[in-house]
Amino acid sequence: MPLEFELCPGRMIGGNHPCFIIAEIGQNHQGDIEIAKKMIKMAKDCGSDCAKFQKSELDHKFNKKALERPYNSVHSWGKTYGDHKRHLEFSHEQYKELQKYADEVDIFFTASGMDEMAVEFLHELNVPFFKVASADNSNFPYLKKTAKKGRPMIVSSGMQNMETMRQVYKTVKEHNPNFTILQCTSAYPLEAEDVNLRVLTEYQKEFPDIPIGYSGHESGIVISVAAVAMGAKVVERHVTLDKTWKGNDHEASLVPSELAELVRSIRLVERALGNGVKQMLPCEKPCHDKLGKSLVAKVKIPKGTVLTQDMLAVKVAEPMGIDAEDIFKMVGKKVKKDVEEDESILPEVVEGYCKKRKC
């Protein structure tokens, strides 16, 4: 059984607990706090467990030249990359306002800490868990400091190989047992052939004592639902109010109708997964009573006859006789009274017969 732990207050993940669904708002809010609030409410209304943002302290995440480089993309919010990022970055006070709003609408709130100083701020903000973005999963000093904070962690694994992820696991595990790793491919939008859902199975083998999840950037919801069927305990998807808005992530994001359908489909799949025990269920009894096969006499069988297989047939019979699956067990047993041709062979007619489920 995969490890279970409390990711958010009162919300366990892993084991048989429901998949934790994260609506990744990221920076799809266009730098507008009112749009951000609408997206938080949308995430809640669609049934998500958590609304998540991305927090950076830009001078700690980028060097000066990176911030000063021209940014001429159609998605740009400024002449330089720094201007662009500053437009999209909420202040500490705005984050507190968003956290308060999320609490009012009753949805968990957190953010990816995109640098060590951002993690410090989020720690002070008392978020329920830290999200480590794929770009930071090989930043081992960052991972170590974040793990030492003691909050649960979710670590995306885009752009890495298994050897690096083993190091990630070891680094975090040394300081914090409560974390999960998400399979992720860092492409926006993501083509199906690059998703590699089978990595979920490999992660489950490599890291059997932590829950495994999936962070998707593909179009639609089918692949994310399949990830849950394969055992993902956390699913993260980018969300938007409009796929045509300015920004690199919108095309790979889910609009409200898609997010709601994703949540509904995941919960449906969870109901369908069951407990893994194969048995006839109560809902199957009407069908069994109507169409279940049992043994009948192929010929007239006089009292005291030792049964051979050529005396027996399998049919839908009234009344229902001995289960068809027991036909080979009947060979060599005596009947205690006459059985007419095509008559059901009842349990009390066969000497020494005892149905295994009842004896």
Side-chain angles (χ1 to χ4, degrees):
M1 179 71 69
L3 178 71
E4 304 174 357
F5 66 86
E6 190 176 55
L7 182 66
C8 298
R11 182 59 160 90
M12 300 289 290
I13 66 164
N16 292 321
H17 298 288
C19 176
F20 190 82
I21 302 172
I22 301 171
E24 166 67 288
I25 295 168
Q27 294 191 322
N28 280 354
H29 48 69
Q30 311 296 84
D32 186 323
I33 195 166
E34 294 307 316
I35 291 177
K37 289 180 180 178
K38 287 180 181 178
M39 296 184 77
I40 291 172
K41 183 64 163 56
M42 177 268 284
K44 170 64 179 181
D45 290 345
C46 291
S48 306
D49 294 291
C50 180
K52 191 182 80 64
F53 291 78
Q54 296 172 4
K55 182 71 185 94
S56 298
E57 301 294 344
L58 298 179
D59 291 334
H60 292 272
K61 181 178 179 180
F62 301 98
N63 71 4
K64 289 181 180 180
K65 287 187 177 181
L67 292 172
E68 291 170 356
R69 76 173 183 254
Y71 193 51
N72 300 317
S73 167
V74 294
H75 299 301
S76 175
W77 292 97
K79 292 182 179 180
T80 67
Y81 195 63
D83 291 337
H84 167 77
K85 295 299 289 185
R86 278 185 281 270
H87 174 84
L88 294 171
E89 196 63 48
F90 288 138
S91 69
H92 289 192
E93 288 306 310
Q94 286 175 313
Y95 261 89
K96 292 175 184 177
E97 184 178 344
L98 291 172
Q99 184 185 51
K100 182 175 182 293
Y101 180 75
D103 187 58
E104 289 172 0
V105 302
D106 192 27
I107 189 171
F108 293 118
F109 173 91
T110 194
S112 298
M114 309 299 278
D115 55 79
E116 291 180 15
M117 291 306 297
V119 170
E120 291 294 337
F121 166 67
L122 293 171
H123 187 55
E124 293 173 7
L125 199 62
N126 197 30
V127 296
F129 66 89
F130 293 131
K131 168 66 194 297
V132 177
S134 291
D136 281 307
N137 58 29
S138 59
N139 183 347
F140 294 110
Y142 164 99
L143 281 179
K144 184 175 180 180
K145 288 182 180 180
T146 303
K148 282 185 171 182
K149 297 292 185 186
R151 296 185 188 276
M153 295 171 62
I154 294 178
V155 184
S156 277
S157 63
M159 301 179 285
Q160 301 303 337
N161 58 31
M162 185 62 85
E163 183 52 42
T164 298
M165 293 314 300
R166 291 188 187 106
Q167 294 179 52
V168 169
Y169 168 86
K170 183 177 180 181
T171 299
V172 176
K173 189 75 172 179
E174 183 179 355
H175 305 286
N176 189 341
N178 296 327
F179 69 103
T180 176
I181 291 175
L182 310 186
Q183 161 58 358
C184 176
T185 302
S186 297
Y188 306 80
L190 175 61
E191 297 299 326
E193 55 267 27
D194 294 322
V195 171
N196 208 355
L197 283 180
R198 288 194 175 98
V199 172
L200 291 167
T201 304
E202 294 307 306
Y203 279 170
Q204 289 164 341
K205 293 176 184 176
E206 285 281 341
F207 316 123
D209 57 349
I210 65 170
I212 298 303
Y214 175 69
S215 178
H217 306 126
E218 72 278 1
S219 298
I221 69 167
V222 173
I223 290 170
S224 294
V225 175
V228 175
M230 292 181 68
K233 302 302 182 182
V234 175
V235 165
E236 176 186 75
R237 289 297 305 270
H238 285 257
V239 297
T240 183
L241 297 178
D242 189 334
K243 290 179 190 255
T244 67
W245 277 355
K246 184 189 294 188
N248 293 309
D249 289 345
H250 291 286
E251 187 181 354
S253 299
L254 302 178
V255 294
S257 60
E258 291 175 309
L259 178 60
E261 180 62 19
L262 173 67
V263 174
R264 189 198 71 80
S265 297
I266 286 175
R267 299 306 178 217
L268 183 63
V269 165
E270 288 175 330
R271 287 170 55 200
L273 286 172
N275 60 13
V277 177
K278 183 57 183 172
Q279 58 185 345
M280 189 173 77
L281 298 175
C283 67
E284 296 178 290
K285 191 174 186 304
C287 186
H288 177 266
D289 290 348
K290 181 179 180 181
L291 298 175
K293 300 293 182 65
S294 59
L295 300 184
V296 300
K298 188 181 291 187
V299 296
K300 181 175 181 178
I301 306 173
K303 177 181 178 179
T305 300
V306 176
L307 293 171
T308 60
Q309 188 174 336
D310 59 6
M311 298 176 184
L312 306 173
V314 174
K315 294 185 178 182
V316 175
E318 181 62 39
M320 186 172 282
I322 291 171
D323 284 350
E325 65 187 57
D326 288 342
I327 187 170
F328 300 121
K329 296 178 182 178
M330 297 302 102
V331 175
K333 295 186 182 298
K334 287 183 181 180
V335 294
K336 295 188 280 187
K337 69 173 192 175
D338 293 344
V339 183
E340 297 298 320
E341 181 182 347
D342 205 42
E343 185 180 348
S344 299
I345 300 178
L346 303 177
E348 58 268 26
V349 170
V350 179
E351 191 176 281
Y353 173 74
C354 180
K355 184 62 181 174
K356 60 187 176 187
R357 287 193 289 266
K358 297 179 181 178
C359 300

